[in-house]
Amino acid sequence: MFPAIGLSLIFSIALCVHVVRTHQQMYWLWIILAFQPLGGLVYLLAIVAPEFLGGSKAQRMGQAARKALDPQREYREATQAVDDAPTVGNRARQAAAATGLGRHEEAERLYAEALQGLYADDPQLLLGRANALIELNRPAEALPLLETLSAQSNAARTPQVALAMGRAYHALGRETEADTALRWAAAHLPGFEGMARYAVFLAQVGRKDEAREALAEIDKRLAKTHAHFRKEARGWRDLAAGAMG
């Protein structure tokens, strides 16, 4: 028992040294010491592992862990970046962070402010503002932005753009166009959002059997999803299931 306690303490102290030397947020010290050894393991997953393992998967795992522990961190840092240097890139980052917190009215305003001059046709800003407008139930304003974006080039016709266009079409009652866009997005968009939103669309237009088939496919893929990403995936699954009625 005592050797285990000693090893846990040594492990925690080593991680605290890492926190200080790498200039991490100081709240990590409290997490590591107050919740031994679990706090240290979370720190390893969120901070240390991405540094040593590299790769997009490790980075996503670290980002997910940090977001779970401090969901407002990215918004605070983005806001500070805008205060330090109010560039278009920093404003876009702040708008994306606001979107992540469900602050869609703020995000729409920030994107609109950034869509000026040389950046009036920027694809990232157009899509961000359009998505915010859709969340605010203003699809008639979102659709022209998406059509502008889609007309720019083939490279701009991404699954994310198709998903937004499908949602806007559906909200405006243009079901045939919505079906085409959402079905394509569901087939090409990584993750579960595209599949879930297409299942919701199918349920809402009365195609219940197809909606149930789409939900069954989500369940099949969910069973194979890594545990670290399962919470977000379940959220999309629940959105689809809730539309079945």
Side-chain angles (χ1 to χ4, degrees):
M1 178 177 179
F2 290 108
I5 295 175
L7 288 174
S8 178
L9 182 59
I10 292 171
F11 170 68
S12 298
I13 290 173
L15 293 178
C16 288
V17 171
H18 185 274
V19 170
V20 175
R21 287 185 174 178
T22 58
H23 307 288
Q24 304 296 330
Q25 296 289 333
M26 289 297 104
Y27 61 75
W28 280 115
L29 296 176
W30 179 79
I31 291 173
I32 293 168
L33 295 174
F35 301 101
Q36 299 181 49
L38 181 60
L41 294 174
V42 171
Y43 181 76
L44 275 176
L45 176 64
I47 304 297
V48 180
E51 292 179 0
F52 285 93
L53 297 178
S56 59
K57 184 175 181 179
Q59 291 172 2
R60 289 197 304 271
M61 289 169 63
Q63 290 169 357
R66 288 193 293 271
K67 185 176 180 179
L69 287 166
D70 186 4
Q72 301 228 11
R73 175 181 177 179
E74 170 61 14
Y75 180 79
R76 291 198 308 272
E77 293 180 354
T79 301
Q80 184 60 55
V82 171
D83 290 341
D84 294 339
T87 64
V88 170
N90 284 341
R91 290 190 185 280
R93 179 187 173 190
Q94 185 184 21
T99 297
L101 294 174
R103 301 177 180 178
H104 302 297
E105 188 170 346
E106 178 183 0
E108 192 276 326
R109 174 180 56 79
L110 290 168
Y111 280 124
E113 291 174 354
L115 280 163
Q116 303 291 335
L118 295 174
Y119 296 92
D121 294 321
D122 182 87
Q124 179 187 359
L125 301 177
L126 286 169
L127 180 58
R129 188 183 180 206
N131 277 324
L133 287 166
I134 292 169
E135 294 294 341
L136 293 169
N137 198 29
R138 294 159 60 185
E141 297 174 63
L143 190 56
L145 300 176
L146 294 167
E147 289 173 340
T148 296
L149 177 54
S150 184
Q152 286 182 0
S153 67
N154 288 333
R157 297 167 191 167
T158 65
Q160 291 82 1
V161 173
L163 180 67
M165 292 190 77
R167 295 181 66 198
Y169 283 138
H170 179 39
L172 293 169
R174 296 166 62 173
E175 307 301 2
T176 300
E177 293 158 298
D179 179 65
T180 300
L182 290 171
R183 179 160 32 87
W184 192 84
H188 294 87
L189 190 67
F192 287 80
E193 182 180 3
M195 298 172 63
R197 292 202 184 279
Y198 188 47
V200 170
F201 166 78
L202 292 171
Q204 290 179 345
V205 297
R207 295 158 63 181
K208 297 289 186 179
D209 289 342
E210 293 176 74
R212 282 189 283 270
E213 290 176 8
L215 181 61
E217 180 62 25
I218 291 173
D219 285 335
K220 181 179 176 181
R221 296 193 188 186
L222 182 60
K224 301 177 182 179
T225 300
H226 193 286
H228 292 291
F229 309 116
R230 203 165 289 155
K231 181 178 179 181
E232 180 181 358
R234 285 189 185 281
W236 290 117
R237 191 269 177 199
D238 291 344
L239 177 73
M244 300 300 162

PDB file of all heavy atoms in Angstrom, residues 8-28:
ATOM      1  N   SER A   8       2.487   7.058  -6.527  1.00  0.00           N
ATOM      2  CA  SER A   8       1.478   8.006  -6.975  1.00  0.00           C
ATOM      3  C   SER A   8       1.935   9.437  -6.723  1.00  0.00           C
ATOM      4  O   SER A   8       1.745  10.323  -7.562  1.00  0.00           O
ATOM      5  CB  SER A   8       0.151   7.738  -6.267  1.00  0.00           C
ATOM      6  OG  SER A   8      -0.820   8.688  -6.660  1.00  0.00           O
ATOM      7  N   LEU A   9       2.547   9.665  -5.560  1.00  0.00           N
ATOM      8  CA  LEU A   9       3.022  11.006  -5.214  1.00  0.00           C
ATOM      9  C   LEU A   9       4.158  11.432  -6.137  1.00  0.00           C
ATOM     10  O   LEU A   9       4.194  12.574  -6.618  1.00  0.00           O
ATOM     11  CB  LEU A   9       3.473  11.038  -3.759  1.00  0.00           C
ATOM     12  CG  LEU A   9       3.952  12.404  -3.237  1.00  0.00           C
ATOM     13  CD1 LEU A   9       2.844  13.435  -3.365  1.00  0.00           C
ATOM     14  CD2 LEU A   9       4.409  12.286  -1.796  1.00  0.00           C
ATOM     15  N   ILE A  10       5.110  10.511  -6.385  1.00  0.00           N
ATOM     16  CA  ILE A  10       6.226  10.823  -7.279  1.00  0.00           C
ATOM     17  C   ILE A  10       5.708  11.143  -8.683  1.00  0.00           C
ATOM     18  O   ILE A  10       6.145  12.094  -9.334  1.00  0.00           O
ATOM     19  CB  ILE A  10       7.214   9.646  -7.328  1.00  0.00           C
ATOM     20  CG1 ILE A  10       7.912   9.499  -5.960  1.00  0.00           C
ATOM     21  CG2 ILE A  10       8.264   9.856  -8.424  1.00  0.00           C
ATOM     22  CD1 ILE A  10       8.748   8.245  -5.839  1.00  0.00           C
ATOM     23  N   PHE A  11       4.750  10.325  -9.142  1.00  0.00           N
ATOM     24  CA  PHE A  11       4.132  10.533 -10.444  1.00  0.00           C
ATOM     25  C   PHE A  11       3.485  11.922 -10.519  1.00  0.00           C
ATOM     26  O   PHE A  11       3.670  12.670 -11.480  1.00  0.00           O
ATOM     27  CB  PHE A  11       3.092   9.425 -10.657  1.00  0.00           C
ATOM     28  CG  PHE A  11       2.196   9.609 -11.846  1.00  0.00           C
ATOM     29  CD1 PHE A  11       2.693   9.533 -13.145  1.00  0.00           C
ATOM     30  CD2 PHE A  11       0.838   9.836 -11.675  1.00  0.00           C
ATOM     31  CE1 PHE A  11       1.858   9.681 -14.239  1.00  0.00           C
ATOM     32  CE2 PHE A  11      -0.009   9.985 -12.761  1.00  0.00           C
ATOM     33  CZ  PHE A  11       0.509   9.907 -14.046  1.00  0.00           C
ATOM     34  N   SER A  12       2.764  12.292  -9.471  1.00  0.00           N
ATOM     35  CA  SER A  12       2.072  13.579  -9.454  1.00  0.00           C
ATOM     36  C   SER A  12       3.056  14.737  -9.417  1.00  0.00           C
ATOM     37  O   SER A  12       2.866  15.755 -10.102  1.00  0.00           O
ATOM     38  CB  SER A  12       1.128  13.647  -8.249  1.00  0.00           C
ATOM     39  OG  SER A  12       0.128  12.648  -8.330  1.00  0.00           O
ATOM     40  N   ILE A  13       4.116  14.593  -8.629  1.00  0.00           N
ATOM     41  CA  ILE A  13       5.120  15.665  -8.534  1.00  0.00           C
ATOM     42  C   ILE A  13       5.804  15.865  -9.883  1.00  0.00           C
ATOM     43  O   ILE A  13       6.033  17.003 -10.321  1.00  0.00           O
ATOM     44  CB  ILE A  13       6.153  15.339  -7.433  1.00  0.00           C
ATOM     45  CG1 ILE A  13       5.488  15.438  -6.054  1.00  0.00           C
ATOM     46  CG2 ILE A  13       7.352  16.291  -7.521  1.00  0.00           C
ATOM     47  CD1 ILE A  13       6.370  14.987  -4.922  1.00  0.00           C
ATOM     48  N   ALA A  14       6.116  14.761 -10.565  1.00  0.00           N
ATOM     49  CA  ALA A  14       6.761  14.861 -11.875  1.00  0.00           C
ATOM     50  C   ALA A  14       5.868  15.608 -12.863  1.00  0.00           C
ATOM     51  O   ALA A  14       6.337  16.446 -13.646  1.00  0.00           O
ATOM     52  CB  ALA A  14       7.087  13.466 -12.400  1.00  0.00           C
ATOM     53  N   LEU A  15       4.575  15.325 -12.809  1.00  0.00           N
ATOM     54  CA  LEU A  15       3.649  16.023 -13.707  1.00  0.00           C
ATOM     55  C   LEU A  15       3.519  17.497 -13.338  1.00  0.00           C
ATOM     56  O   LEU A  15       3.385  18.356 -14.215  1.00  0.00           O
ATOM     57  CB  LEU A  15       2.282  15.339 -13.680  1.00  0.00           C
ATOM     58  CG  LEU A  15       2.232  13.929 -14.271  1.00  0.00           C
ATOM     59  CD1 LEU A  15       0.831  13.352 -14.130  1.00  0.00           C
ATOM     60  CD2 LEU A  15       2.656  13.934 -15.731  1.00  0.00           C
ATOM     61  N   CYS A  16       3.549  17.797 -12.053  1.00  0.00           N
ATOM     62  CA  CYS A  16       3.496  19.201 -11.623  1.00  0.00           C
ATOM     63  C   CYS A  16       4.711  19.967 -12.131  1.00  0.00           C
ATOM     64  O   CYS A  16       4.601  21.140 -12.531  1.00  0.00           O
ATOM     65  CB  CYS A  16       3.411  19.280 -10.099  1.00  0.00           C
ATOM     66  SG  CYS A  16       1.816  18.777  -9.425  1.00  0.00           S
ATOM     67  N   VAL A  17       5.865  19.322 -12.118  1.00  0.00           N
ATOM     68  CA  VAL A  17       7.066  19.948 -12.671  1.00  0.00           C
ATOM     69  C   VAL A  17       6.871  20.234 -14.156  1.00  0.00           C
ATOM     70  O   VAL A  17       7.240  21.302 -14.663  1.00  0.00           O
ATOM     71  CB  VAL A  17       8.296  19.041 -12.450  1.00  0.00           C
ATOM     72  CG1 VAL A  17       9.512  19.585 -13.211  1.00  0.00           C
ATOM     73  CG2 VAL A  17       8.620  18.947 -10.966  1.00  0.00           C
ATOM     74  N   HIS A  18       6.252  19.279 -14.857  1.00  0.00           N
ATOM     75  CA  HIS A  18       5.978  19.473 -16.282  1.00  0.00           C
ATOM     76  C   HIS A  18       5.048  20.659 -16.495  1.00  0.00           C
ATOM     77  O   HIS A  18       5.237  21.460 -17.423  1.00  0.00           O
ATOM     78  CB  HIS A  18       5.364  18.196 -16.868  1.00  0.00           C
ATOM     79  CG  HIS A  18       5.145  18.254 -18.353  1.00  0.00           C
ATOM     80  ND1 HIS A  18       4.011  18.793 -18.921  1.00  0.00           N
ATOM     81  CD2 HIS A  18       5.943  17.860 -19.389  1.00  0.00           C
ATOM     82  CE1 HIS A  18       4.101  18.717 -20.238  1.00  0.00           C
ATOM     83  NE2 HIS A  18       5.256  18.152 -20.560  1.00  0.00           N
ATOM     84  N   VAL A  19       4.024  20.797 -15.653  1.00  0.00           N
ATOM     85  CA  VAL A  19       3.088  21.916 -15.750  1.00  0.00           C
ATOM     86  C   VAL A  19       3.831  23.241 -15.684  1.00  0.00           C
ATOM     87  O   VAL A  19       3.622  24.146 -16.505  1.00  0.00           O
ATOM     88  CB  VAL A  19       2.031  21.847 -14.628  1.00  0.00           C
ATOM     89  CG1 VAL A  19       1.210  23.132 -14.583  1.00  0.00           C
ATOM     90  CG2 VAL A  19       1.107  20.649 -14.823  1.00  0.00           C
ATOM     91  N   VAL A  20       4.708  23.360 -14.693  1.00  0.00           N
ATOM     92  CA  VAL A  20       5.423  24.622 -14.466  1.00  0.00           C
ATOM     93  C   VAL A  20       6.408  24.900 -15.588  1.00  0.00           C
ATOM     94  O   VAL A  20       6.471  26.010 -16.123  1.00  0.00           O
ATOM     95  CB  VAL A  20       6.139  24.587 -13.104  1.00  0.00           C
ATOM     96  CG1 VAL A  20       6.996  25.845 -12.911  1.00  0.00           C
ATOM     97  CG2 VAL A  20       5.120  24.474 -11.973  1.00  0.00           C
ATOM     98  N   ARG A  21       7.175  23.883 -15.982  1.00  0.00           N
ATOM     99  CA  ARG A  21       8.232  24.082 -16.980  1.00  0.00           C
ATOM    100  C   ARG A  21       7.681  24.364 -18.374  1.00  0.00           C
ATOM    101  O   ARG A  21       8.329  25.053 -19.174  1.00  0.00           O
ATOM    102  CB  ARG A  21       9.141  22.862 -17.025  1.00  0.00           C
ATOM    103  CG  ARG A  21      10.062  22.748 -15.810  1.00  0.00           C
ATOM    104  CD  ARG A  21      11.033  21.589 -15.969  1.00  0.00           C
ATOM    105  NE  ARG A  21      11.997  21.564 -14.873  1.00  0.00           N
ATOM    106  CZ  ARG A  21      12.953  20.627 -14.741  1.00  0.00           C
ATOM    107  NH1 ARG A  21      13.035  19.644 -15.638  1.00  0.00           N
ATOM    108  NH2 ARG A  21      13.789  20.671 -13.731  1.00  0.00           N
ATOM    109  N   THR A  22       6.509  23.832 -18.671  1.00  0.00           N
ATOM    110  CA  THR A  22       5.931  24.040 -20.005  1.00  0.00           C
ATOM    111  C   THR A  22       4.881  25.138 -20.022  1.00  0.00           C
ATOM    112  O   THR A  22       4.189  25.320 -21.016  1.00  0.00           O
ATOM    113  CB  THR A  22       5.313  22.724 -20.534  1.00  0.00           C
ATOM    114  OG1 THR A  22       4.312  22.255 -19.617  1.00  0.00           O
ATOM    115  CG2 THR A  22       6.390  21.656 -20.708  1.00  0.00           C
ATOM    116  N   HIS A  23       4.755  25.830 -18.883  1.00  0.00           N
ATOM    117  CA  HIS A  23       3.872  26.998 -18.781  1.00  0.00           C
ATOM    118  C   HIS A  23       2.413  26.658 -19.088  1.00  0.00           C
ATOM    119  O   HIS A  23       1.706  27.414 -19.776  1.00  0.00           O
ATOM    120  CB  HIS A  23       4.344  28.116 -19.724  1.00  0.00           C
ATOM    121  CG  HIS A  23       5.783  28.486 -19.543  1.00  0.00           C
ATOM    122  ND1 HIS A  23       6.240  29.170 -18.441  1.00  0.00           N
ATOM    123  CD2 HIS A  23       6.879  28.230 -20.307  1.00  0.00           C
ATOM    124  CE1 HIS A  23       7.556  29.347 -18.545  1.00  0.00           C
ATOM    125  NE2 HIS A  23       7.971  28.780 -19.671  1.00  0.00           N
ATOM    126  N   GLN A  24       1.943  25.526 -18.552  1.00  0.00           N
ATOM    127  CA  GLN A  24       0.537  25.170 -18.685  1.00  0.00           C
ATOM    128  C   GLN A  24      -0.303  25.989 -17.705  1.00  0.00           C
ATOM    129  O   GLN A  24       0.236  26.659 -16.812  1.00  0.00           O
ATOM    130  CB  GLN A  24       0.334  23.666 -18.405  1.00  0.00           C
ATOM    131  CG  GLN A  24       1.167  22.755 -19.282  1.00  0.00           C
ATOM    132  CD  GLN A  24       0.808  22.861 -20.746  1.00  0.00           C
ATOM    133  OE1 GLN A  24      -0.339  23.152 -21.088  1.00  0.00           O
ATOM    134  NE2 GLN A  24       1.780  22.631 -21.627  1.00  0.00           N
ATOM    135  N   GLN A  25      -1.622  25.921 -17.859  1.00  0.00           N
ATOM    136  CA  GLN A  25      -2.508  26.604 -16.934  1.00  0.00           C
ATOM    137  C   GLN A  25      -2.319  26.046 -15.520  1.00  0.00           C
ATOM    138  O   GLN A  25      -2.226  24.831 -15.324  1.00  0.00           O
ATOM    139  CB  GLN A  25      -3.970  26.406 -17.361  1.00  0.00           C
ATOM    140  CG  GLN A  25      -4.308  27.033 -18.705  1.00  0.00           C
ATOM    141  CD  GLN A  25      -4.335  28.547 -18.647  1.00  0.00           C
ATOM    142  OE1 GLN A  25      -4.593  29.129 -17.601  1.00  0.00           O
ATOM    143  NE2 GLN A  25      -4.090  29.195 -19.776  1.00  0.00           N
ATOM    144  N   MET A  26      -2.289  26.938 -14.521  1.00  0.00           N
ATOM    145  CA  MET A  26      -1.981  26.520 -13.160  1.00  0.00           C
ATOM    146  C   MET A  26      -3.060  25.657 -12.513  1.00  0.00           C
ATOM    147  O   MET A  26      -2.809  24.975 -11.524  1.00  0.00           O
ATOM    148  CB  MET A  26      -1.707  27.754 -12.279  1.00  0.00           C
ATOM    149  CG  MET A  26      -0.395  28.454 -12.588  1.00  0.00           C
ATOM    150  SD  MET A  26       1.079  27.425 -12.293  1.00  0.00           S
ATOM    151  CE  MET A  26       1.535  26.985 -13.973  1.00  0.00           C
ATOM    152  N   TYR A  27      -4.267  25.664 -13.071  1.00  0.00           N
ATOM    153  CA  TYR A  27      -5.300  24.819 -12.474  1.00  0.00           C
ATOM    154  C   TYR A  27      -4.953  23.340 -12.604  1.00  0.00           C
ATOM    155  O   TYR A  27      -5.497  22.496 -11.881  1.00  0.00           O
ATOM    156  CB  TYR A  27      -6.679  25.096 -13.077  1.00  0.00           C
ATOM    157  CG  TYR A  27      -6.826  24.843 -14.557  1.00  0.00           C
ATOM    158  CD1 TYR A  27      -6.904  23.553 -15.071  1.00  0.00           C
ATOM    159  CD2 TYR A  27      -6.929  25.904 -15.438  1.00  0.00           C
ATOM    160  CE1 TYR A  27      -7.058  23.321 -16.423  1.00  0.00           C
ATOM    161  CE2 TYR A  27      -7.081  25.682 -16.804  1.00  0.00           C
ATOM    162  CZ  TYR A  27      -7.144  24.391 -17.288  1.00  0.00           C
ATOM    163  OH  TYR A  27      -7.301  24.157 -18.624  1.00  0.00           O
ATOM    164  N   TRP A  28      -4.049  23.012 -13.549  1.00  0.00           N
ATOM    165  CA  TRP A  28      -3.628  21.617 -13.678  1.00  0.00           C
ATOM    166  C   TRP A  28      -2.953  21.122 -12.401  1.00  0.00           C
ATOM    167  O   TRP A  28      -3.052  19.935 -12.066  1.00  0.00           O
ATOM    168  CB  TRP A  28      -2.681  21.453 -14.865  1.00  0.00           C
ATOM    169  CG  TRP A  28      -3.375  21.377 -16.187  1.00  0.00           C
ATOM    170  CD1 TRP A  28      -3.306  22.264 -17.217  1.00  0.00           C
ATOM    171  CD2 TRP A  28      -4.236  20.325 -16.632  1.00  0.00           C
ATOM    172  NE1 TRP A  28      -4.083  21.855 -18.266  1.00  0.00           N
ATOM    173  CE2 TRP A  28      -4.661  20.661 -17.950  1.00  0.00           C
ATOM    174  CE3 TRP A  28      -4.719  19.146 -16.061  1.00  0.00           C
ATOM    175  CZ2 TRP A  28      -5.525  19.856 -18.675  1.00  0.00           C
ATOM    176  CZ3 TRP A  28      -5.576  18.341 -16.798  1.00  0.00           C
ATOM    177  CH2 TRP A  28      -5.968  18.687 -18.083  1.00  0.00           C
TER     178      TRP A  28
END
